[in-house]
DNA sequence: AACAAAATTTTACGCGCGCAAATTTTCCAG
DNA sequence: CTGGAAAATTTGCGCGCGTAAAATTTTGTT
């Protein structure tokens, strides 16, 4: 609707009949100007469709309202879902989140961190790749940008860590499975990239030994992030070779379990907790699709809401504290057992 | 490892012993400076870990190398997957892609477009919300930013459209199902947000009538983007009421089908193409998880590679053409039938 | 060794806005 | 009506880099 296009804030201010610094102040915080002035500005913004230049705006600002969100693999529904929630919370709080995915690659993660560093972020929420992360690159990043780690913890990096308590996941599933049937073997990738996988393995060993039982592993081959396919191939193999040591399988994560269940179905192996079933399968994560597997998957759920709330809230506190905490805190939320049909 | 931190390009240039404009030229295109100069610069970049200020860089540039990617719902694995591929291609071509998700909300889509407009994008790849998109907002955006639409077509908007041919999807599934058994009914949401859903419905009607068959619909209620849950609830309802008009169900998309299959499993309804099965189920999209459903899902697949390749390639051509095409082109790739176990 | 072409340097200006200090105007209560 | 605080304005500088034109150096060729 604007008669002509506005070049800059100077012109726009003149058009409204106020000074540029006042306008600048308005864009920085609409409540910092008088109500009548604000109304005039806002009606003019409507009419002329003016927006301040993003780059000029951020160039001289001490601190921007930009937040960087980095996850290892955005095509994983688990991360997609948690990012979805976190993004919304940042927007609600008046920040501008930007999402990046490392696509499972160390080099890309480093590139993203480099890009982010030049963005004068107010803060960053970083879920690192884990084992394949370039530790020194992440350390350098955290020194330059107020960062809260989530999902995967890297010893001492960032101002805080928020995630789930892997021990709690495994403890609940193992105890439940032992209480209701044969003790489970642990189905996992031989070389998992994610540090959470190692923690789950260790938790499994600890819980089993505590109960006086011997840990048993089914380790499958595979690289990359296509966990369903890896879980399926591994499942087809162990079913063909009949090498499962027990009738109860505890998968390290839901994506592996989804693949494993598909292998069971294909081989006509009945899964469930009924007496007529050959196998019980449980897992961890409460993946968005675990409700729709056949049978539906018994799993230990992340407290998605608590993790994302806490991560975001911690970051906001960090930003308000000027980017540094006195002591690094680690928050880990316990899991919640979701009993469905598979075990 | 730098002794001190470099403030700006001036300082950095002095440190290397070259002029600032040469350095600027290098960052714009490393091949535009002499080989020996380039080597000196690059070794210094390593040593001092200097990066030009992102905001100052983009402020006066005529054209940036930034590309905006917008999808309606990033937590949908279909979009997550296609974004993953597109993002990589942009990076390989030397661009800086930034991904945004509209989270299924009109208002958020508009906000994103506003943000993007102030980013001086070289170009944008936009998959609009569809029915709930603010058409005028999208039109304004496309007038200001070189845009290629993908996935959902909006009449006349953007410089080009790249997507899949919905008619081809439905034609192949319907013909296959009719050839091998009872004609399918069409299982869909009553009020789908995505325009592709309407096109699939119309294609179903057309193909059925062409074969002299009467189209039959199963329309289920539900709002939002949780298609699996909607498909499941709808499935439980029709199975309870025994209101399926045929023994063959063609779902509008895979996510509905995933929910429907889960409802079938729960009700003990056997799905598959065997003689002992009660129901056949097929669908469209070749969702990343459709291979792992039980039974695995027979579906019409997007040519993911072709769509993303073509979308990206079209955008690059558009950018090189200065942001405008003489005529708006629409490219639609045919589907490929993937026969699995469900039908 | 001379010379044209390519690369680099010098010089100079501008982008659009942040920000700070001092001044003026506006507002509300007494 | 008046005083004082809050809000708005004026003034002016600076950010870090893009970019253009002209002058200079380097490079490769005959």
């Amino acid at each position: 609707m604007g008669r002509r296009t506005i070049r800059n804030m100077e012109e726009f201010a003149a058009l409204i009949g106020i000074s540029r610094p006042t306008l600048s102040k308005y864009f920085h915080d609409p409540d910092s100007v008088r109500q009548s002035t604000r109304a005039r500005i806002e009606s003019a913004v409507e009419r002329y469709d003016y927006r301040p230049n993003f780059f000029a705006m951020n160039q001289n600002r001490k601190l921007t309202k930009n937040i960087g969100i980095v996850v290892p693999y955005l095509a994983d529904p688990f991360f997609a879902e948690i990012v979805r929630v976190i993004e919304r919370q940042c927007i609600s709080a008046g920040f501008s989140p930007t999402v990046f995915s490392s696509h499972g690659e160390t080099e890309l993660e480093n590139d993203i961190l480099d890009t982010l560093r030049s963005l004068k972020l107010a803060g960053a929420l970083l879920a690192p790749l884990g084992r394949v992360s370039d530790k020194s690159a992440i350390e350098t990043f955290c020194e330059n940008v107020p960062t809260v780690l989530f999902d995967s913890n890297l010893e001492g990096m960032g101002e805080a860590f928020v995630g789930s308590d892997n021990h709690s996941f495994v403890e609940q599933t193992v105890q439940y499975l032992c209480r209701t049937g044969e003790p489970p073997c642990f189905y996992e990738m031989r070389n998992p990239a994610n540090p959470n996988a190692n923690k789950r393995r260790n938790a499994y060993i600890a819980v089993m030994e505590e109960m006086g039982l011997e840990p048993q592993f089914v380790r499958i081959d595979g690289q990359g992030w296509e966990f369903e396919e890896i879980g399926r191939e591994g499942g087809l193999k162990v079913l063909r070779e009949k090498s499962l040591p027990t009738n109860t399988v505890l998968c390290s994560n839901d994506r592996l379990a989804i693949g494993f269940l598909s292998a069971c179905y294909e081989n006509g192996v009945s899964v469930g907790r009924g007496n007529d079933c050959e196998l019980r399968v449980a897992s961890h994560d409460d993946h968005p699709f675990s409700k729709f597997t056949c049978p539906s998957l018994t799993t230990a759920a992340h407290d998605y809401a608590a993790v994302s709330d806490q991560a975001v809230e911690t970051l906001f506190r960090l930003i308000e504290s000027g980017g540094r905490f006195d002591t690094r805190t680690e928050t880990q939320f316990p899991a919640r057992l979701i009993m469905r049909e598979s075990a």
Side-chain angles (χ1 to χ4, degrees), chain A:
Chain A
M1 298 298 159
R3 288 187 270 271
R4 61 166 186 218
T5 169
I6 285 103
R7 304 193 144 281
N8 54 36
M9 241 169 90
E10 195 81 55
E11 268 188 42
F12 189 57
L15 212 62
I16 309 179
I18 60 170
S19 71
R20 185 175 64 77
T22 304
L23 200 51
S24 168
K25 219 174 152 201
Y26 163 82
F27 281 117
H28 193 238
D29 175 12
D31 283 320
S32 67
V33 301
R34 203 186 303 150
Q35 190 54 40
S36 60
T37 314
R38 179 173 169 177
R40 282 167 65 194
I41 296 175
E42 281 174 350
S43 84
V45 167
E46 283 272 331
R47 279 237 311 280
Y48 294 92
D49 193 33
Y50 167 79
R51 320 197 79 234
N53 181 302
F54 175 80
F55 299 106
M57 237 177 101
N58 285 286
Q59 174 167 21
N60 296 323
R61 224 198 265 290
K62 310 284 187 200
L63 213 63
T64 71
K65 301 221 92 182
N66 303 328
I67 287 181
I69 303 173
V70 186
V71 293
Y73 203 79
L74 199 47
D76 182 331
F78 167 73
F79 287 112
E81 178 60 22
I82 204 159
V83 161
R84 188 180 72 82
V85 176
I86 287 179
E87 211 182 341
R88 309 250 13 179
Q89 290 175 314
C90 291
I91 292 173
S92 298
F95 288 90
S96 300
T98 310
V99 178
F100 293 89
S101 166
S102 306
H103 297 278
E105 291 174 28
T106 310
E107 213 175 298
L108 210 45
E109 184 171 78
N110 286 352
D111 286 349
I112 291 168
L113 297 184
D114 273 349
T115 303
L116 253 44
R117 257 208 295 170
S118 65
L119 247 48
K120 286 188 191 168
L121 296 183
L125 287 163
L126 171 60
L129 286 173
R131 192 169 57 81
V132 297
S133 279
D134 179 343
K135 308 293 183 301
S136 72
I138 291 186
E139 196 158 18
T140 305
F141 176 79
C142 292
E143 282 165 9
N144 287 284
V145 179
T147 304
V148 172
L149 292 193
F150 72 102
D151 185 62
S152 288
N153 197 2
L154 291 182
E155 206 59 48
M157 297 189 189
E159 300 298 310
F161 169 76
V162 179
S164 292
D165 177 7
N166 287 292
H167 189 89
S168 149
F169 279 67
V170 179
E171 188 175 39
Q172 292 193 54
T173 49
V174 170
Q175 287 184 351
Y176 166 73
L177 292 171
C178 290
R179 197 165 62 235
T180 54
E182 217 170 277
C185 63
F186 197 74
Y187 186 83
E188 64 170 358
M189 284 170 71
R190 198 174 302 281
N191 297 306
N194 194 301
N196 291 331
N198 292 319
K199 291 186 178 158
R200 287 177 187 178
R201 172 194 299 162
N202 293 336
Y204 167 73
I205 296 173
V207 175
M208 288 291 278
E209 287 179 346
E210 203 170 284
M211 301 175 83
L213 299 167
E214 193 186 343
Q216 300 187 81
F217 289 93
V218 179
R219 296 216 168 92
I220 58 175
D221 295 314
Q223 292 290 328
W225 282 78
E226 306 214 330
F227 299 158
E228 295 85 7
E229 187 61 39
I230 292 167
R232 182 167 182 278
E233 293 293 336
L236 291 175
K237 185 159 175 253
V238 297
L239 292 176
R240 186 173 57 239
E241 297 173 352
K242 299 190 191 303
S243 57
L244 278 179
T246 66
N247 75 1
T248 302
V249 177
L250 178 59
C251 298
S252 181
N253 66 66
D254 282 355
R255 294 184 63 193
L256 284 178
I258 288 170
F260 185 73
L261 284 178
S262 123
C264 291
Y265 186 91
E266 188 169 323
N267 277 31
V269 175
S270 59
V271 175
R273 54 183 170 204
N275 289 328
D276 51 334
C277 293
E278 303 166 56
L279 217 56
R280 297 190 304 160
V281 176
S283 180
H284 311 102
D285 280 343
D286 193 30
H287 186 288
F289 281 28
S290 59
K291 188 178 170 185
F292 303 102
T293 56
C294 301
S296 59
L297 191 57
T298 289
T299 185
H302 289 269
D303 193 339
Y304 282 88
V307 171
S308 56
D309 279 0
Q310 177 76 12
V312 169
E313 196 252 320
T314 304
L315 182 63
F316 290 171
R317 267 194 301 116
L318 179 60
I319 291 171
E320 280 174 12
S321 309
R324 296 289 166 239
F325 283 149
D326 294 334
T327 56
R328 184 177 187 277
T329 60
E330 297 190 359
T331 313
Q332 297 188 328
F333 290 96
R336 189 166 50 91
L337 187 67
I338 310 260
M339 275 177 285
R340 298 208 184 93
E341 298 303 320
S342 71

